[in-house]
Amino acid sequence: MVSMHGVQKWFGDLHVLKDIDLDVAPGEVVVVIGPSGSGKSTLCRAINRLETINEGTIAVDGQKLPEEGKELAQLRADVGMVFQSFNLFSHKTVLENVTVGPIKVRKKSKADADKRARELLERVGVASQADKLPAQLSGGQQQRVAIARSLAMDPKVMLFDEPTSALDPEMIKEVLDTMVDLAKGGMTMIVVTHEMGFARTAADRVLFMSDGSIVEENTPQEFFTNPKTDRAKDFLSKILTH
């Protein structure tokens, strides 16, 4: 579903993605973990060209990433993205936030878009908030609206860039529960997160990144109980002892 080969990315002199090769199968949930500055978010953002790459190829569902223009907009419509900071339209209601993409990009009728939006808001547990503005919702509710908004585009793959890092602890669970449900439903997902519990329970595969490279990849069971590299062992020893 997602294929990255020989991907290189520099920010000036800083080599942030080093020779990335990654294939994600349809329905697979890949969780990307690693220390800050390891290139996780850049990797995620490169998949829908929010970050351009210097070398290599990225394809989604067999289609190479176009440079720009209509084709890129079309491809972005197939790749849902959920950010750290929700990025909802503050002047639109929750319902309008979820329907704007399907109406404008997918050319759905307002009636169809509204019906589907209400179903998705129900699915993520915020149906009762449909007529409120984002500022009237908690952070956890806003993030679940952002997930519904992405799902409304019927994406082929969903990217999550640290979706819980801006949330209070008690709100993290409700967002992760929503993501676990998505994973169980067969959605192809690439998730950058610090939530190791989510990685253990929902991931088919864990990628560990350090200094711009994928250093290790394995099943959650293998990775957490028997990491192969010193870098991964060191990382896990620091985060799993508290």
Side-chain angles (χ1 to χ4, degrees), residues 25-205:
E28 190 178 15
V29 178
V30 173
V31 171
V32 186
I33 64 172
S36 294
S38 56
K40 308 183 299 289
S41 289
T42 308
L43 173 94
C44 195
R45 294 166 70 87
I47 294 170
N48 68 352
R49 231 187 178 82
L50 283 174
E51 295 285 2
T52 54
I53 59 174
N54 298 98
E55 286 175 31
T57 59
I58 302 176
V60 174
D61 199 16
Q63 299 287 315
K64 269 198 179 164
L65 275 197
E67 291 297 323
E68 54 195 30
K70 272 209 170 107
E71 291 87 3
L72 181 57
Q74 188 55 52
L75 182 108
R76 278 206 182 130
D78 289 337
V79 181
M81 180 103 188
V82 178
F83 300 90
Q84 203 170 330
S85 53
F86 326 138
N87 290 9
L88 297 173
F89 296 114
S90 59
H91 61 289
K92 291 185 183 296
T93 66
V94 163
L95 187 68
E96 287 166 343
N97 263 283
V98 180
T99 58
V100 65
I103 291 170
K104 289 250 195 311
V105 180
R106 298 285 194 212
K107 307 300 181 203
K108 286 191 174 178
S109 71
K110 185 173 183 314
D112 285 350
D114 277 10
K115 180 171 181 287
R116 172 85 172 127
R118 288 186 189 278
E119 285 167 6
L120 289 167
L121 291 170
E122 181 73 47
R123 182 174 166 188
V124 300
V126 287
S128 60
Q129 314 295 329
D131 299 318
K132 291 185 178 173
L133 292 171
Q136 296 172 281
L137 274 57
S138 72
Q141 289 171 325
Q142 288 188 59
Q143 193 58 296
R144 285 185 285 159
V145 172
I147 292 171
R149 179 178 62 177
S150 282
L151 290 173
M153 297 295 286
D154 295 319
K156 294 173 178 175
V157 56
M158 290 273 284
L159 308 174
F160 294 84
D161 187 8
E162 301 197 8
T164 57
S165 60
L167 299 176
D168 292 336
E170 72 270 21
M171 292 172 188
I172 289 174
K173 184 181 183 307
E174 62 192 46
V175 173
L176 291 177
D177 286 348
T178 302
M179 290 166 62
V180 169
D181 287 345
L182 269 187
K184 286 180 182 160
M187 174 60 76
T188 309
M189 293 163 63
I190 298 172
V191 183
V192 174
T193 186
H194 294 292
E195 298 296 331
M196 297 303 138
F198 177 81
R200 282 172 187 264
T201 54
D204 296 305
R205 187 161 39 129

